[in-house]
């Protein structure tokens, strides 16, 4: 991302994706190592907005958008991805804007256990006889 317009576009894309039913949160895409290298290179070049969770890149073929999502378990990850992709493509649809690729990846599925709102990362994961 290297222009104010790209920073604003990334923010609009993030807002659009967060509004999709079933999407819990948005994460920075890529592995930890890849994000560290990209952040360092972008900082040296003065190109990146460190607060952006959506990566927007202008290529010869058009815009390339990448984001990582967390979704609710009750909402199908496939359904949330399909709806998020459609929402991003609708946002980006403009005659003057070619879209080369939209890459969305589910990196976290939030699971709720029981009525008390226990999450899969919390207590109560083992069967009663194993606790």
């Amino acid at each position: 991302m290297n222009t104010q317009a790209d920073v604003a576009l990334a923010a609009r894309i993030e807002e659009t994706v967060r509004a999709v039913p079933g999407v819990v949160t948005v994460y920075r895409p890529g592995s930890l190592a890849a994000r560290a290298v990209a952040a360092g290179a972008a900082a040296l070049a003065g190109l990146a907005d460190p607060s952006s969770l959506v990566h927007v890149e202008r290529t010869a073929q058009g815009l390339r958008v990448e984001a990582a999502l967390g979704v609710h378990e009750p909402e199908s990850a496939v359904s949330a991805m399909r709806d998020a992709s459609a929402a991003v493509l609708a946002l980006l649809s403009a005659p003057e804007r070619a879209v080369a690729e939209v890459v969305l990846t589910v990196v976290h599925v939030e699971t709720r256990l029981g009525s008390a709102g226990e999450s899969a990362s919390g207590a109560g994961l083992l069967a009663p006889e194993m606790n």
Side-chain angles (χ1 to χ4, degrees):
M1 231 177 308
N2 56 11
T3 68
Q4 287 297 81
D6 290 344
V7 171
L9 180 59
R12 287 198 339 255
I13 292 169
E14 181 181 340
E15 182 180 309
T16 297
V17 169
R18 285 181 185 276
V20 171
V23 173
V24 177
T25 193
V26 179
Y27 299 96
R28 283 184 180 79
S31 69
L32 181 60
R35 288 192 314 260
V37 169
L44 286 173
L47 297 177
D49 174 14
S51 66
S52 179
L53 298 177
V54 174
H55 179 76
V56 175
E57 179 182 1
R58 295 184 184 274
T59 69
Q61 296 78 29
L63 285 178
R64 183 178 188 282
V65 174
E66 188 175 4
L69 310 178
V71 298
H72 282 296
E73 180 188 37
E75 299 290 329
S76 160
V78 173
S79 174
M81 292 294 288
R82 182 177 38 246
D83 294 347
S85 293
V88 170
L89 289 171
L91 174 70
L92 297 177
S93 67
E96 72 280 358
R97 186 184 296 142
V99 178
E101 186 174 33
V102 174
V103 179
L104 301 177
T105 305
V106 171
V107 296
H108 178 77
V109 176
E110 186 174 290
T111 303
R112 297 281 183 204
L113 302 173
S115 60
E118 296 175 343
S119 75
S121 59
L125 290 178
L126 300 176
E129 62 273 4
M130 298 180 80
N131 279 333

